[in-house]
Amino acid sequence: MAPYDLSMYIPAPPLSDKFDGCAAIARRTRKPGSPGLAVSAAALLLAAAAPAHALVIGVTEGVSYQVTESQIAPRFEPIAEVLSKALKQPVTIKVFISYNGAREALKEQQVDIAFIHPAHVALEAVKSGRYQALAWTSGFTAYKVSLLCKEPQPIADWKGIAGKGLVMPDADSITSVITRAMLREHGLQPAALKLTNTRYQDAVPFYVQNGFAAYGATAASGVVKTWKDGGGNVCAESRPVPIKQWLASRKLDAATASAAREALLGLAQSDAGKRALATSTYTGFVAPSPEAETALMTWLGI
């Protein structure tokens, strides 16, 4: 999304009256044999013509769904344009397919603003003090993990499931992080089960259906619905977790961070904002809760 530099192909425009005035002042006040003022005037002209610093938006959309960088970036371009207008600065997008890539970028504060799908990666950045929460994504503030099973009743004795098979998506996915927190909450260490990881969430039911695992952890609503429609059961659900968060680097000045927050929270209130949201597939963004963040950090083991 970064603009191309076409200056080498476009003739330089004539100096504006403002620039002419600067040069005229330099001519009128310059003393013979004193080039300093001429140099100062030239520096002033260059500074006035320099483009604003481009802010970088970092985006990661999860590892347990089959999406590519070329699919993700275009979805966020309209939102980036809205932010660019609100902040009066150019904005570029950088997509991170791997969580470790996102972590490294957040650790080094390579991005000014970030849209982070996995809550644990976002909360790690907030806890470090390098970033602050700007907004949560509407419709994704109560993400729950369901344990798929063939058993007719919910789990009553959690310690009684020790030794059984449990299949989860990628070990570093938010679904697996929540699942491990849910097990610990019920007094069961994850290592007490026979754990299996599969790359994508939509593969989880296969393991349970075919007897490779007694339980399957997924938070994909479509996967859960298909499982239930086919006669399968859900033995347990986790606490709700907000999973798609906007963050701002602590390096940003307070005014810029505040303007970004207001722009994001107000997207659903304008026609331009609604069009940007439609491209992103999201319906809007809401204010975060610092208290909920603190509680989640403890529960998730961050």
Side-chain angles (χ1 to χ4, degrees), residues 211-224:
F212 298 113
Y215 306 101
T218 179
S221 58
V223 173
V224 175

Side-chain angles (χ1 to χ4, degrees), residues 25 32 87 92 98:
I25 291 172
L87 304 179
T92 62
S98 78

